[in-house]
Amino acid sequence: KERVEFLERKFGDSADRHLSELAVLRSSHDELRLLHEEHHATLGERVSYLERLCRDSADRHVAQASDLEELKALKAAYNDYTETLASHAKAHDSHAEALARHDS
């Protein structure tokens, strides 16, 4: 009879300990689940984030394309200016030669 009581006590203690540990694990698991849900983005939030990234990227590309077109226009104006300047320099040299011939 003592052996049976001893075994029942041991199994009871073991079962109580396991129930207690299981309760602690469940509580811990619930806390982690709540934390995960707080920091876990929903599908809608993820889609919104990606849409915002795409929109920002598209806006940047539009701005860069606009800047590129402006640079092309400035380069064309600069090329026209250098051609005009070269033409004026050539005309100046021609006039200088004509004056030199006229003075001699």
Side-chain angles (χ1 to χ4, degrees):
K1 180 176 178 177
E2 289 178 21
R3 288 180 161 177
V4 172
E5 288 176 357
F6 172 77
L7 289 174
E8 286 176 346
R9 228 181 10 254
K10 284 295 182 182
F11 282 122
D13 291 347
S14 179
D16 291 342
R17 192 178 75 244
H18 284 112
L19 285 175
S20 174
E21 289 175 0
L22 184 59
V24 169
L25 286 173
R26 282 186 180 155
S27 174
S28 177
H29 179 264
D30 289 342
E31 289 176 22
L32 288 174
R33 184 180 45 78
L34 290 174
L35 284 173
H36 177 72
E37 287 174 357
E38 288 176 9
H39 296 288
H40 187 71
T42 64
L43 181 60
E45 292 169 333
R46 290 177 182 183
V47 169
S48 294
Y49 173 75
L50 291 173
E51 286 174 341
R52 189 171 54 252
L53 280 180
C54 289
R55 194 171 34 255
D56 291 349
S57 179
D59 291 345
R60 271 195 316 274
H61 283 97
V62 167
Q64 289 173 348
S66 176
D67 291 347
L68 182 60
E69 291 303 316
E70 185 178 338
L71 285 173
K72 286 179 181 178
L74 286 171
K75 184 180 180 201
Y78 174 78
N79 288 340
D80 290 345
Y81 173 76
T82 55
E83 288 175 14
T84 301
L85 189 60
S87 173
H88 285 219
K90 188 175 180 182
H92 178 268
D93 291 344
S94 293
H95 287 129
E97 288 175 13
L99 270 174
R101 281 194 307 268
H102 185 273
D103 286 341
S104 30

